[in-house]
Amino acid sequence: MNRKEITDKLYNIARPYVQQKEALEDFSMDTDLLRDLKINSANLIDIVLDVEDEFGVSIENAEMELMINVRSVVELLENKLDAK
Amino acid sequence: MTNKQRVVVTGMGVVAPNGVGLQEFTQALRQNKSGLRFDSELKKFGFSCQVSGRPPISNEDLWSVIPESHRAAFNSTGIAYGLMAGLEAWRNAGLQVDPPTRDPDSGIVFGTGVSSVSKTREVAYTIDEGKVRRLRSNTVPQTMSSGVAAYLSARLHLGNWVSSNSSACATGTESILLAARRIQSGQAKRMLAGACSDAGPYIWGPFDALRVLNRHHNDRADEASRPLASDASGFIPRSGAGALVMESLDTAKARGARIYGEILGGAVNCGGQINGGTMTAPNPQAVQECIIGAVKDAGVIPSEIELINGHLTATAMDALEVQNWARALEYDRNTFPVIHSLKSLIGHTIAAAGAIETVASLIGLQNQFVFGNANADILHPDVLEWVDKSQIPLKSLSFPHQTVIKANFGFGDVNACIVIRKNTSDEQKRNHG
């Protein structure tokens, strides 16, 4: 799976939880999940569960704390998918 | 304390087994339409009572009221019914859903008997499988008792008292009284009141096990709910929600709101599970005290009451209830007013009953008709000792009336009663003239 495919999937997973829908227009590697997309921190839990299901990976609590912007999530997933 | 504020109803919403939304529900009441159906799921699970069903709405339409960020794995019919009825009532009152600012003068008392039993079941299985971390963020609001109030406030941004009451089958009526008190005392200008109840085998099962449901009409669903009838032998469990927007008369007038009626007063009490009262049966003296208390609080005399919207679930307790009304308000066979039970049409919506039944009463007051007691064509002889047959309409009838009394009685020997009056003539003139 290439970076664009991972990013597109992440976009679709995050979309229902984004409270600042306009910010989706500028969805990029540097987009901050909480600050830019105004995702409620409780909904990060849902995003993690959906990511686990979509990519067939498991995300630990410590890894979750690193999920700050799109880049950090994509890189985490790239590493996990490579290790599979 | 300042003078007691008068409390009026300015908006209504309903999700009932025989109609979703005010328009459909009103039509169903006019046509005396039953909402009861054979339920193959209950048959599959081996229930004695296989008549039930749900409000006629697909889960897809139902979940559309849930905020998008909470919609995944949503499994709480009661909360969704409550949200749908509550938002309808708010819009019906001419108020804005998803407003831009918080309103500190408006609040919510929206009750339920249990949070989502279906979701709670899912949670238990997930944890038993060792997957506690797989529970989504919407699990807590779906399993907390105040979930319905929390979802309503997410859409209405109300800043006054926001809570969920719970008192079994008296929940709906109690929510209206609690909200009225809040407005009467001047602590809030406007309250959304109501109650909801979940659908499905997991909430209805324990009642089936108690053998309090009718198991004799599984092949004749329309005839299954038989309040006041000689052969009434159990209630039919149903689900749904009813909601009222209530305001101080001054608040309603100031914004030119349509006024459906006035909550004149009411009372709640408990029979203490003694002197005839048990977990499931009412203490008759306490029921009578509650009715008398409501009438006194409302400032009316018994002869002003033209219609009783009873609890009347279609069990052996119906005759006792009729006797309690007669004793409390000193009626005899010549003076007992018209009495009816919405449960003859839609069954018993458990915690939501008082809210849906009060919406039905307000629709009746507004349109000056009574819905009929379906299936009461052969009345119980003990009922006829207290009420003349002519006071128990079997079909929906045109009926000029101003004042209705409504009560519900619940498990735990709890009672709630309210008195409602049609809007006064000067308000009517202003609204229609």
Side-chain angles (χ1 to χ4, degrees), chain A residues 12-21 33 37-40 42-47 50, chain B residues 68-72 136-138:
Chain A
N12 285 325
I13 287 170
R15 198 189 43 77
Y17 306 105
V18 172
Q19 292 178 58
Q20 189 78 40
K21 297 283 185 204
L33 300 179
L37 301 180
K38 301 275 187 284
I39 291 172
N40 181 321
N43 287 138
L44 280 182
I45 306 293
D46 302 308
I47 292 175
D50 291 343
Chain B
E68 195 184 14
S69 61
H70 280 251
R71 214 173 288 160
R136 303 185 74 91
S137 72
N138 64 7

Side-chain angles (χ1 to χ4, degrees), chain B residues 80-137:
Chain B
Y81 297 147
L83 194 48
M84 193 164 266
L87 298 185
E88 183 188 23
W90 202 252
R91 290 189 179 106
N92 183 250
L95 299 165
Q96 191 185 353
V97 172
D98 300 319
T101 53
R102 168 179 174 265
D103 174 5
D105 294 320
S106 300
I108 301 171
V109 184
F110 212 101
T112 183
V114 287
S115 60
S116 171
V117 185
S118 303
K119 180 49 85 175
T120 305
R121 172 179 177 271
E122 259 182 55
V123 170
Y125 277 120
T126 306
I127 292 171
D128 285 351
E129 286 165 16
K131 296 179 180 168
V132 63
R133 64 180 290 283
R134 295 287 310 173
L135 297 173
R136 303 185 74 91
S137 72

Side-chain angles (χ1 to χ4, degrees), chain A residues 8-32:
Chain A
D8 286 350
K9 283 189 174 185
L10 181 61
Y11 175 95
N12 285 325
I13 287 170
R15 198 189 43 77
Y17 306 105
V18 172
Q19 292 178 58
Q20 189 78 40
K21 297 283 185 204
E22 308 85 67
L24 281 171
E25 288 166 22
D26 304 319
F27 192 84
S28 70
M29 284 295 153
D30 295 320
T31 300
D32 187 288

